[in-house]
Amino acid sequence: QSLEGEFFGGIFLAPYAKVNNGETYVAFPEANSDSQQHFTVLGENLIGFDDLLNNGGRDFQDFVWEFDFSIGQL
């Protein structure tokens, strides 16, 4: 599954993470030093992250983000 998306105004958002081993991983495998996917979609508005080089864990539960894009009333 893909993490990219287009939002109103043409803004493009993609997660990245700096980890303790000095690596920075982005949502695009080809841009990572190990060419591996480190982010994945776990559900609606839910993104999982694997922090190990070469995806040693492959569980994508090292960090999990949940987003709420609801619009509240003023």
Side-chain angles (χ1 to χ4, degrees):
Q1 293 181 344
S2 178
L3 298 177
E4 66 253 13
E6 188 172 330
F7 298 87
F8 294 107
I11 297 170
F12 184 74
L13 302 174
Y16 73 93
K18 293 182 179 184
V19 296
N20 289 339
N21 68 3
E23 292 286 337
T24 298
Y25 298 120
V26 296
F28 309 100
E30 59 274 9
N32 293 323
S33 64
D34 60 2
S35 299
Q36 299 293 312
Q37 184 72 34
H38 286 270
F39 293 87
T40 192
V41 175
L42 298 174
E44 188 172 327
N45 298 326
L46 196 64
I47 297 173
F49 172 68
D50 190 304
D51 68 345
L52 296 177
L53 189 65
N54 295 314
N55 279 344
R58 298 205 59 82
D59 58 6
F60 298 99
Q61 295 178 357
D62 297 321
F63 197 89
V64 177
W65 290 268
E66 183 174 10
F67 297 91
D68 180 356
F69 293 105
S70 62
I71 299 173
Q73 287 184 304
L74 296 177

